[in-house]
Amino acid sequence: MKNVVALILAGGQGTRLGVLTEKIAKPAVQFGGKYRLIDFTLSNCVNSGIYKIGVLTQYKPHLLNQHIGIGKPWDLDRKDGGVTILQPYYTEKKGVWYNGTADAVYRNIEFVDDYNPEYVVILSGDHIYSMDYNELLDYHKAKSALATVACMEVPLSEASRFGIMVTDLENRIIEFQEKPKQPKSTLASLGIYVFQWSFIREVLIEDAKNDQSSHDFGKDIIPKIIQTERVFAFPFDGYWKDVGTIYSYWESNLELTRPIPPFNIHDENWRIYTHSKEMPPAYIADSTKVKNSLISEGCEIYGAVSNSVLAQGVEIGKGSVVKNSVIMSNVRIGENCYIENAIIAENVVIGDFVKIGVGEFAESKLNKKVYNSEITVIGMDSIIESKVEIGKNCVVGIDKIVNKNLNSGEYI
């Protein structure tokens, strides 16, 4: 689509993912054994024919920048368009970080202007879904809209986590609440917007002058522009997930291990592209038992694995058991270990006779809001020494060396 520019918001820290985003931006977190979160939005763009893309980064972008590179895996290494990393920058007057999602787009108006598009698509870089943005744009045009917001129904108990909208019979948005304590509906914004560029450009310039604004699409821009009566909701009934919490991230990964997963990563007509290392085929030894699991290239399995996702280069020693867990790339697990309900981040080394996820559940002593399930999380580049036992709902930070037992709910 020649008259469309996509901007992907990828600067968020993702604090609810706790230690998983302590060292990297949320869109760079691994998912599904082979991908990083931003791969799904980038793939949606190119599968929809959008090849002019800006990725707005801010929080610890090094790994994300390295992953995207010049965009070759997504066929975005091209002279006309392609992908551009847009980081905060200094000006003659001041140098500041992006101050809200709308401010991030405002500060890149010149980038969009260079393409002189008719439409701009604003997307989040940390959601799991497949969407043909052509359908969204066709809907936007059919409604003669100035703005269109993709949405879906969510359970009332979860509505307060989202931007909630009230619509009329024509799907015109007549009220918008950002993460309300008392939601007036269950129709939730997916953080996917289409705007007429000439319209939203002026709105952003005006908003930037307002010291009272938080410069956020959900809090400021959408509630303001619905007064034009030309802002519509686009109903989406496919799979969409905000893997913004430890539990939802773990659950979404393990959903992929089902015989018929709710999210299809095997669709030949809608491929998910990524930048991954070239590694040899996975090796599964004669004495192993592997069931309902995703095993990526370069893995060496000598133990038992069930209902788990293993990323590239994972080694599991003889006699070890891994259940209901997400193991990221280059993790080495020694012999005779037992690991259940765990998320183990990249490059972790685990000795022999280690147990993780054992005992009774206990509340987190680190952060009850972030760590509130039986899932134990091990941060990147940590070492768990042999014979250590770690309970449920525990947290090991990045670059830690653990040489003592941790009871459930404890952290280091």
Side-chain angles (χ1 to χ4, degrees):
M1 289 183 280
K2 295 182 179 179
N3 58 349
V4 179
V5 169
L7 295 177
I8 301 176
L9 304 174
Q13 180 180 355
T15 54
R16 292 177 299 159
L17 283 181
V19 71
L20 296 179
T21 55
E22 196 171 316
K23 200 170 186 175
I24 59 176
K26 182 182 172 186
V29 173
Q30 291 188 352
F31 184 87
K34 184 179 179 70
Y35 311 102
R36 295 189 187 273
L37 294 179
I38 198 167
D39 292 338
F40 298 91
T41 304
L42 282 172
S43 297
N44 286 338
C45 285
V46 297
N47 286 332
S48 301
I50 300 175
Y51 290 97
K52 298 168 184 171
I53 302 170
V55 179
L56 284 64
T57 63
Q58 179 160 273
Y59 173 79
K60 296 186 177 179
H62 174 69
L63 183 57
L64 186 62
N65 294 349
Q66 188 181 58
H67 178 68
I68 296 173
I70 59 174
K72 190 172 183 178
W74 302 272
D75 191 23
L76 290 169
D77 54 332
R78 47 181 67 202
K79 291 181 179 178
D80 182 19
V83 62
T84 304
I85 305 294
L86 301 170
Q87 292 178 291
Y89 56 88
Y90 281 92
T91 67
E92 296 83 355
K93 295 181 180 179
K94 58 182 179 180
V96 294
W97 298 108
Y98 295 145
N99 185 24
T101 53
D103 181 62
V105 176
Y106 164 75
R107 293 183 184 281
N108 289 286
I109 280 179
E110 290 183 3
F111 169 80
V112 182
D113 280 346
D114 282 346
Y115 292 111
N116 191 29
E118 189 172 357
Y119 309 102
V120 62
V121 182
I122 309 294
L123 307 164
S124 295
D126 51 12
H127 295 158
I128 304 300
Y129 67 109
S130 294
M131 179 186 288
D132 187 343
Y133 299 135
N134 288 295
E135 296 178 7
L136 175 61
L137 281 157
D138 289 344
Y139 181 89
H140 177 85
K141 295 172 187 175
K143 291 289 188 180
S144 298
L146 293 172
T148 301
V149 183
C151 62
M152 69 186 303
E153 294 285 347
V154 298
L156 181 61
S157 59
E158 297 182 17
S160 59
R161 291 176 46 212
F162 298 92
I164 295 297
M165 60 193 85
V166 178
T167 62
D168 65 12
L169 293 176
E170 296 180 347
N171 284 341
R172 182 182 288 104
I173 301 174
I174 56 176
E175 188 170 353
F176 191 93
Q177 303 172 291
E178 180 66 7
K179 299 179 181 176
K181 292 182 179 178
Q182 296 181 324
K184 293 184 178 179
S185 85
T186 54
L187 192 60
S189 167
L190 305 184
I192 301 168
Y193 310 105
V194 176
F195 296 105
Q196 299 290 121
W197 175 239
S198 59
F199 166 73
I200 199 62
R201 185 182 189 279
E202 297 306 313
V203 172
L204 293 173
I205 291 172
E206 183 180 341
D207 180 74
K209 298 174 183 174
N210 182 3
D211 293 335
Q212 303 302 313
S213 173
S214 57
H215 312 300
D216 185 88
F217 278 105
K219 294 177 183 175
D220 307 288
I221 303 299
I222 302 299
K224 180 179 180 180
I225 64 176
I226 60 176
Q227 297 171 16
T228 64
E229 299 184 352
R230 293 177 62 187
V231 181
F232 289 85
F234 171 74
F236 179 67
D237 59 3
Y239 182 95
W240 178 93
K241 203 143 193 177
D242 174 10
V243 289
T245 65
I246 293 291
Y247 185 83
S248 65
Y249 173 82
W250 173 85
E251 180 185 47
S252 299
N253 270 281
L254 264 58
E255 283 177 348
L256 299 175
T257 67
R258 298 178 187 173
I260 303 177
F263 180 67
N264 185 7
I265 59 174
H266 306 284
D267 189 347
E268 287 290 325
N269 298 314
W270 202 267
R271 292 187 177 183
I272 308 301
Y273 302 96
T274 188
H275 176 196
S276 59
K277 290 183 178 178
E278 294 295 331
M279 301 192 83
Y283 174 74
I284 299 175
D286 182 50
S287 58
T288 61
K289 291 182 180 178
V290 177
K291 65 177 183 179
N292 290 343
S293 297
L294 297 183
I295 311 296
S296 302
E297 307 100 312
C299 287
E300 295 185 27
I301 314 296
Y302 299 92
V305 181
S306 62
N307 302 319
S308 296
V309 175
L310 273 57
Q312 290 184 309
V314 172
E315 296 179 20
I316 296 181
K318 188 176 180 181
S320 289
V321 175
V322 176
K323 293 181 178 178
N324 307 329
S325 296
V326 179
I327 314 294
M328 299 190 194
S329 60
N330 302 317
V331 170
R332 285 189 290 152
I333 298 173
E335 297 184 353
N336 300 303
C337 297
Y338 181 86
I339 297 171
E340 183 173 10
N341 297 336
I343 301 172
I344 300 178
E346 299 168 55
N347 307 319
V348 169
V349 177
I350 297 174
D352 299 332
F353 297 98
V354 170
K355 294 181 179 179
I356 297 176
V358 295
E360 298 296 323
F361 169 80
E363 285 191 340
S364 175
K365 295 179 180 179
L366 177 60
N367 188 329
K368 295 177 184 177
K369 291 184 178 178
V370 173
Y371 306 101
N372 50 18
S373 68
E374 293 193 348
I375 302 163
T376 283
V377 186
I378 312 294
M380 292 175 69
D381 301 314
S382 289
I383 298 173
I384 314 297
E385 295 190 349
S386 295
K387 299 182 180 178
V388 166
E389 292 191 14
I390 299 176
K392 291 179 166 59
N393 199 25
C394 290
V395 183
V396 174
I398 61 173
D399 297 311
K400 301 293 184 184
I401 298 176
V402 184
N403 52 20
K404 64 177 183 179
N405 296 343
L406 293 179
N407 295 322
S408 294
E410 291 186 333
Y411 68 94
I412 185 170

